[in-house]
Amino acid sequence: DIQMTQSPSTLSASVGDRVTITCRASQSISTWLAWYQQTSGKAPKLLIYKASNLQSGVPSRFSGSGSGTEFTLTITSLQPDDFATYYCQQYNSYSGTFGQGTKLEIK
Amino acid sequence: EVQLLESGGNLVRPGGSLRLSCAASGFTFTRYAMSWVRQAPGMGPEWVASISTDDGGRYYAGSVKGRFTISRDNSNNTLYLHMSSLRAEDTAIYYCAKDSEPNYDFWSRPPGAFDVWGQGIMVTVSS
């Protein structure tokens, strides 16, 4: 199974900050990686697909990069709505998919 | 408006069965692979099962293989998940989800980058 490991598990930041979340795959997944945002009680929302492509309607302060086994999600100029939990998802193979999540908290 | 609406969730005893439905609207259902994803309380999402556009291909997570069956009715734009031999660890919110890419080669990679999700339906397995 491919394991997806996110870091950090929790991140404290302030409005206006720039933050980066990392997702590492236990083996190469090319660029078959997506990022989601989830707020309490709601379904995950797709932010980034194929590692670096911004989903339609998602603000440009969100960006993704990486390939192979290491990926990052960057949020520039944090807004109040951005404090949520973020998950990466690999879709290179059926063996395991989502990371364990990164909770972005207000400092 | 693109929408997915799940139904069928309930409280069920261990060993019991349940069928979830997901009604799709606002997009051409037959062009997209569909999936079920679940999320146990306080945990991250877990992919459960996926089905190709024409029901020619189905994949399951190891934790549900042999107990759950995914299917679809393209004439009624509905996705299903039949669950049997339910266990306490199947307790979760179940979401149906749509793949973002139409008509892709289901055998080349799993569905992923789910751009539309349902609101989720709770399944509780408890005696």
Side-chain angles (χ1 to χ4, degrees), chain A residues 43-94:
Chain A
K45 173 187 174 184
L46 179 65
L47 301 174
I48 301 286
Y49 64 95
K50 211 146 184 298
S52 60
N53 294 273
L54 191 68
Q55 174 67 7
S56 175
V58 174
S60 59
R61 64 180 180 273
F62 291 91
S63 65
S65 66
S67 66
T69 62
E70 188 151 337
F71 303 85
T72 59
L73 172 71
T74 299
I75 313 170
T76 58
S77 189
L78 275 172
Q79 299 301 301
D81 285 351
D82 299 339
F83 293 95
T85 301
Y86 293 85
Y87 295 98
C88 61
Q89 175 211 15
Q90 68 85 10
Y91 50 112
N92 180 73
S93 77
Y94 281 96

Side-chain angles (χ1 to χ4, degrees), chain B residues 8-92:
Chain B
N10 212 333
L11 168 64
V12 61
R13 297 198 184 281
S17 299
L18 203 59
R19 188 182 79 163
L20 304 182
S21 301
C22 171
S25 60
F27 64 99
T28 306
F29 185 69
T30 54
R31 297 184 69 200
Y32 294 90
M34 298 292 296
S35 300
W36 289 95
V37 177
R38 69 185 180 183
Q39 191 167 24
M43 302 294 286
E46 177 191 13
W47 168 75
V48 173
S50 297
I51 188 167
S52 63
T53 54
D54 61 356
D55 200 4
R58 301 175 180 183
Y59 280 99
Y60 299 93
S63 57
V64 308
K65 196 169 186 178
R67 301 187 299 121
F68 289 13
T69 301
I70 188 172
S71 62
R72 63 190 296 162
D73 180 350
N74 283 345
S75 63
N76 287 305
N77 293 344
T78 304
L79 177 72
Y80 299 101
L81 185 69
H82 186 266
M83 304 182 291
S84 62
S85 301
L86 282 161
R87 306 166 181 166
E89 54 264 36
D90 296 319
T91 294

Side-chain angles (χ1 to χ4, degrees), chain B residues 1-5 23-28 116-117:
Chain B
E1 180 191 3
V2 177
Q3 194 171 8
L4 297 171
L5 187 62
S25 60
F27 64 99
T28 306
V116 181
W117 296 63

